[in-house]
């Protein structure tokens, strides 16, 4: 590299109108990583009601943010943006580049730009005084280039298909899928991501109660539900109000990932998605996830013939939480190669291609440093809502099928179970079975059980979970029992049934028998979610009764 180029400094202004636009810019930013010649500046372009959250995120990061009025008074070497709207044309730059801020151009917004033209391809925003504002349009797919050529030929003459940096980042992060699932407390459960775009046709506006319906009617040992909310909707409602509005569903175990980066980690971790017409579903489909449509009928926003419209036309229709398990079993996941061929081109090449194009515009040779997508961060740690549960139990001889739901479910149940010392007092008083994991050692297992049954007269049984494989179960009328829960081993994997679920299975079997003590010892087959365990139920001995707990 010549000395002049080595020491030349260039200023890059990243201009955004919303959190969505900023998030895409941050996915592109690694093209400048490791280059001390680049000064990075950020500015919020006025005109959108969704920009406040983005500024707050930048303030926390320590990025260099310049007020828009000040930015207009300066000249930059490169202006990089992911939205053509607002007062972008009043900024001064030697070169300008425009990228999409999502997976294509699938919507037309009635209150912005030309009627029925795709948002992002409207000449009203792409041209300034009849000429293209941007020197480069970096597109994700040749289909986008064909449509840009149809709607705005002058801009298409400056377009290059570079691929999608966000999808490349997600694909690179699939190697961390097990880590993301562990952080979310998923285990062997099915993770269902519910995707909602923003605006009046979004899932969250049309079917606000759906997240709660899913959380209350899907067994917690088989499913976790995450709600991925479009950043514009988060900004419009505010994170505080959104959490308040979703409070009952969050208490029932709904996951609510943050809008930036965490949503992508959740899609990598997910098994299936339930979606409206937002283009986030295209990323899920390209990762091979099953896509189910929430009942959206096309509305006025989704444009026919687009990749998103084709995906939804082929997706099975959601008909209710009770039907969802069968629907997911029957649905074939999308062919990633077909979906990618429709919506995403040049896989794995976005950052190298963008680096070459953007440095060409700046007039600098690109650095020789290695270039790879940044891995997505771990989502916030979570665990299922197991402090208080409603338990459905079907006893067939010595086989017991257990399904557990959040305690607020309206489904008919066999009994309610609660964690002593963790659930609320009302939940503990309403539980027939109370259980506790190992504590401080101040009790013997039998002493704790006697204390619980005396303290809460409505409780019929107490289960001291001594270890993942051993439990003392004391029934108020039937006596004390030792329960062993050996692990299930198959194909090199070790799976364990939650001992609290095993205690519910043993409790259901005991109360179904007229004289259970006369049948001991007994081996029960316990099915919970995808796991099956052989439970060994015997009369309790000193090993269980006197165990420190």
């Amino acid at each position: 590299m010549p000395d002049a180029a080595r020491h030349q400094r260039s200023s890059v202004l990243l201009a955004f109108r919303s959190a969505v636009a900023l998030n895409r810019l941050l996915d592109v930013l690694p093209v400048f990583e490791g280059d001390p010649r680049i000064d990075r500046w950020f500015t919020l372009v006025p005109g959108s009601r969704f920009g406040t959250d983005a500024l707050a995120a930048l303030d926390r990061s320590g990025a260099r943010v310049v007020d828009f009025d000040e930015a207009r008074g300066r000249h930059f070497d490169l202006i990089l943006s992911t939205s053509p709207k607002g007062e972008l044309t009043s900024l001064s730059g030697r070169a300008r580049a425009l990228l999409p801020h999502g997976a294509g151009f699938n919507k037309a917004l009635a209150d912005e730009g030309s009627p029925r033209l795709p948002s992002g391809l409207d000449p009203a925003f792409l041209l300034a005084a009849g000429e293209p504002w941007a020197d480069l349009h970096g597109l994700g797919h040749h289909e986008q280039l064909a449509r840009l050529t149809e709607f705005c030929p002058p801009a298409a003459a400056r377009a290059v298909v570079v691929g999608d940096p966000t999808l490349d980042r997600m694909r690179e992060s699939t190697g961390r899928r097990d880590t993301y699932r562990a952080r979310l407390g998923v285990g062997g459960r099915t993770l269902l991501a519910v995707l909602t775009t923003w605006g009046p046709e979004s899932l969250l506006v049309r079917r606000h109660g759906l997240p709660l319906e899913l959380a209350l009617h899907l067994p917690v040992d088989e499913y976790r539900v995450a709600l991925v909310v479009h950043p514009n909707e988060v900004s419009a409602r505010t994170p505080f109000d959104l959490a308040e509005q979703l409070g009952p569903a969050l208490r029932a175990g709904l996951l609510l990932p943050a809008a930036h980066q965490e949503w992508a980690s959740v899609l990598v971790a997910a098994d299936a998605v339930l979606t409206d017409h937002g283009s986030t579903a295209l990323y899920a489909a390209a990762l091979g996830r099953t896509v189910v449509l929430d009942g959206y009928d096309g509305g006025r926003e989704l444009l026919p013939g687009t990749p998103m419209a084709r995906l939804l036309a082929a997706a099975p229709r959601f008909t209710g939480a009770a039907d969802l398990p069968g629907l997911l079993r029957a649905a074939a996941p999308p062919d990633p190669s077909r979906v990618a061929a429709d919506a995403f081109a040049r896989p794995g090449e976005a950052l190298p291609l963008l680096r070459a194009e953007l440095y060409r515009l700046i007039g600098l040779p690109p650095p020789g440093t290695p270039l790879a997508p940044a891995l997505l961060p771990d989502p916030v740690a979570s665990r299922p809502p197991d402090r208080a549960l409603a338990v459905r139990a079907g006893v067939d001889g010595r086989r017991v099928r257990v399904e557990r739901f959040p305690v607020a479910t309206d489904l008919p149940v066999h009994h309610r179970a609660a964690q002593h010392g963790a659930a609320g007092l009302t939940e503990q008083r309403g539980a027939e079975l109370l259980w506790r994991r190992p504590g401080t050692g101040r009790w013997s297992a039998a002493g704790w059980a006697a204390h619980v049954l005396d303290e809460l007269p409505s409780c019929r049984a107490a289960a001291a979970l001594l270890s993942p494989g051993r439990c003392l179960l004391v029934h108020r009328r039937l006596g004390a029992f030792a329960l062993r829960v050996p692990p299930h081993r198959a194909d090199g994997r070790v799976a364990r049934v939650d001992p609290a679920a095993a205690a519910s299975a043993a409790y259901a079997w005991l109360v179904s028998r007229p004289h259970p003590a006369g049948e001991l010892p007994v081996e029960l087959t316990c099915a919970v979610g995808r796991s099956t365990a052989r439970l060994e139920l015997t009369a309790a001995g000193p090993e269980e009764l006197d165990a420190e707990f």
Side-chain angles (χ1 to χ4, degrees):
M1 183 183 298
D3 287 342
R6 182 179 294 112
H7 299 293
Q8 178 183 341
R9 300 188 68 83
S10 293
S11 56
V12 175
L13 178 67
L14 298 107
F16 60 93
R17 297 178 72 240
S18 66
V20 178
L22 173 63
N23 293 346
R24 176 55 67 107
L25 288 174
L26 295 176
D27 285 342
V28 174
L29 201 55
V31 299
F32 303 115
E33 189 177 62
D35 193 343
R37 300 169 299 171
I38 302 298
D39 293 325
R40 303 153 186 82
W41 299 80
F42 292 84
T43 193
L44 176 65
V45 180
S48 171
R49 63 186 187 277
F50 304 124
T52 306
D53 287 349
L55 274 180
L58 280 179
D59 285 343
R60 290 192 297 270
S61 73
R64 188 160 35 193
V65 180
V66 60
D67 180 78
F68 187 75
D69 287 335
E70 181 181 347
R72 285 196 296 187
R74 302 184 58 173
H75 185 79
F76 296 90
D77 293 294
L78 174 66
I79 298 172
L80 182 60
S81 184
T82 55
S83 173
K85 299 175 183 177
E87 301 177 43
L88 199 63
T89 56
S90 64
L91 295 170
S92 175
R94 184 161 63 90
R96 299 170 294 272
L98 189 62
L99 308 173
H101 64 253
F105 308 98
N106 302 288
K107 284 185 182 180
L109 302 178
D111 59 345
E112 292 186 356
S114 307
R116 299 306 295 166
L117 284 191
S119 180
L121 299 182
D122 190 343
F125 298 112
L126 298 180
L127 303 180
E131 292 294 321
W133 174 82
D135 300 291
L136 169 71
H137 288 264
L139 301 177
H141 192 271
H142 299 88
E143 183 264 356
Q144 298 171 18
L145 177 57
R147 295 171 72 208
L148 181 61
T149 301
E150 176 185 356
F151 296 116
C152 190
R158 302 181 179 185
V160 177
V161 176
V162 295
D164 190 293
T166 299
L167 181 60
D168 286 352
R169 188 179 184 193
M170 295 170 74
R171 282 175 166 155
E172 186 66 22
S173 298
T174 55
R176 307 192 71 244
R177 174 175 159 85
D178 287 347
T179 299
Y180 299 151
R181 290 175 66 85
R183 291 279 293 179
L184 293 167
V186 173
R189 300 170 179 85
T190 294
L191 177 58
L192 175 69
V194 180
L195 313 181
T196 174
T197 188
W198 64 282
E201 295 185 9
S202 68
L203 180 151
L204 197 57
V205 171
R206 293 183 294 107
R207 305 185 66 173
H208 178 79
L210 182 57
L212 179 60
E213 176 190 343
L214 293 168
L216 292 180
H217 293 87
L218 293 175
V220 301
D221 295 297
E222 298 179 54
Y223 293 90
R224 295 293 322 258
V225 180
L227 179 64
V228 176
V229 183
H230 193 285
N232 285 0
E233 198 66 34
V234 176
S235 295
R237 297 175 185 242
T238 75
F240 179 86
D241 273 3
L242 183 63
E244 289 293 302
Q245 293 160 12
L246 294 169
L250 293 172
R251 286 194 297 276
L254 179 73
L255 301 169
L256 188 63
H260 176 50
Q261 298 190 345
E262 264 195 46
W263 69 269
S265 301
V266 168
L267 284 196
V268 171
D271 299 287
V273 300
L274 174 61
T275 187
D276 54 19
H277 61 300
S279 60
T280 302
L282 284 168
Y283 290 109
L287 292 174
R289 310 300 179 249
T290 299
V291 176
V292 176
L293 178 60
D294 83 315
Y296 181 74
D297 62 1
R300 299 177 59 190
E301 294 181 352
L302 182 63
L303 292 170
T306 59
M308 190 63 200
R310 293 195 295 272
L311 174 65
L312 295 186
R317 271 28 179 191
F318 174 75
T319 55
D323 300 329
L324 186 62
L327 185 66
L328 293 180
R329 285 192 295 269
D335 178 359
S337 61
R338 182 189 62 78
V339 174
D342 281 350
F344 304 103
R346 313 198 74 161
E349 299 182 53
L351 290 182
L353 291 171
L354 279 169
R355 172 182 271 185
E357 292 293 337
L358 295 179
Y359 273 90
R360 176 182 62 80
L361 291 177
I362 296 173
L364 287 178
T369 52
L371 187 59
L375 295 176
L376 295 166
D378 293 348
V380 174
S382 180
R383 58 169 295 137
D386 59 0
R387 295 182 307 177
L389 295 167
V391 183
R392 303 179 80 173
V395 179
D396 182 10
R398 293 184 178 182
R399 181 176 179 85
V400 185
R401 173 71 186 176
V402 168
E403 290 183 316
R404 300 188 295 174
F405 300 86
V407 73
T409 187
D410 57 1
L411 295 172
V413 298
H414 180 273
H415 65 272
R416 299 186 185 278
Q419 184 178 2
H420 185 251
L425 181 58
T426 300
E427 293 170 334
Q428 293 186 50
R429 285 175 172 170
E432 291 96 331
L433 173 65
L434 284 171
W435 54 272
R436 181 174 181 252
R437 301 193 190 275
T440 61
R442 293 182 300 170
W443 294 97
S444 68
W448 170 79
H451 165 72
V452 166
L453 295 175
D454 181 63
E455 180 184 55
L456 296 166
S458 59
C459 177
R460 297 183 181 181
L465 311 183
L466 304 175
S467 72
R470 190 164 63 103
C471 170
L472 172 69
L473 179 62
V474 179
H475 190 278
R476 185 182 296 277
R477 177 177 57 85
L478 300 174
F481 304 89
L483 178 65
R484 297 189 181 275
V485 191
H488 174 69
R489 300 174 183 269
D491 300 324
R493 293 179 176 268
V494 180
R496 283 190 179 273
V497 166
D498 182 355
S504 279
Y507 171 79
W509 183 84
L510 285 167
V511 299
S512 73
R513 320 302 290 179
H515 304 289
E519 300 184 45
L520 300 183
V522 66
E523 186 177 88
L524 305 176
T525 300
C526 173
V528 182
R530 297 176 183 173
S531 299
T532 300
R534 298 283 185 178
L535 310 183
E536 301 168 8
L537 189 64
T538 63
E543 183 182 359
E544 293 80 30
L545 296 169
D546 297 335
E548 290 188 12
F549 187 61

